[in-house]
Amino acid sequence: MVIEESDFRLTQVSDSSCFWDLELLYTIRPKGKEARQEFKICGYGLTMPSAMRHIAHFRMSQKHPGEAITMKQYLKEYNQIIDDISKICHE
């Protein structure tokens, strides 16, 4: 089974497994060429909660690239992303 959203792809390790391989969508900017988007593996054999944490952290780093934010702001936004993903999982 494959679960795919706009910025990630989860592929089940096997039909009866509860472990997932996670791919995240990165923007690749080769020198002298146009930028393109490409999925890159960022974790093998992850549990669903672990994959969700990786996705939330990735979304935070995409939202604030190279930017300093406070711990309070990070945790607030991180927890909101986790809540949003959890709501999707429970619909």
Side-chain angles (χ1 to χ4, degrees):
M1 175 187 336
V2 176
I3 299 170
E4 188 169 339
E5 292 286 332
S6 61
D7 60 347
F8 72 88
R9 185 183 309 158
L10 284 167
T11 306
Q12 195 173 18
V13 173
S14 69
D15 289 341
S16 62
S17 177
C18 62
F19 297 104
W20 302 84
D21 295 339
L22 175 62
E23 297 172 83
L24 296 173
L25 188 64
Y26 285 92
T27 301
I28 308 299
R29 292 182 176 87
K31 191 172 184 177
K33 296 183 181 179
E34 271 194 51
R36 67 181 188 279
Q37 298 211 311
E38 187 176 292
F39 281 104
K40 287 184 168 184
I41 292 283
C42 83
Y44 293 100
L46 302 173
T47 62
M48 186 60 73
S50 179
M52 289 171 57
R53 289 190 302 270
H54 277 77
I55 293 163
H57 178 71
F58 174 74
R59 287 180 176 177
M60 286 295 298
S61 65
Q62 295 296 306
K63 186 175 181 180
H64 302 284
E67 179 182 333
I69 61 174
T70 64
M71 180 63 83
K72 182 178 181 178
Q73 181 183 359
Y74 177 86
L75 291 173
K76 180 181 177 186
E77 293 179 25
Y78 176 88
N79 287 327
Q80 183 60 51
I81 292 169
I82 292 291
D83 289 345
D84 293 344
I85 295 171
S86 294
K87 285 177 188 172
I88 291 169
C89 292
H90 292 98
E91 287 182 351

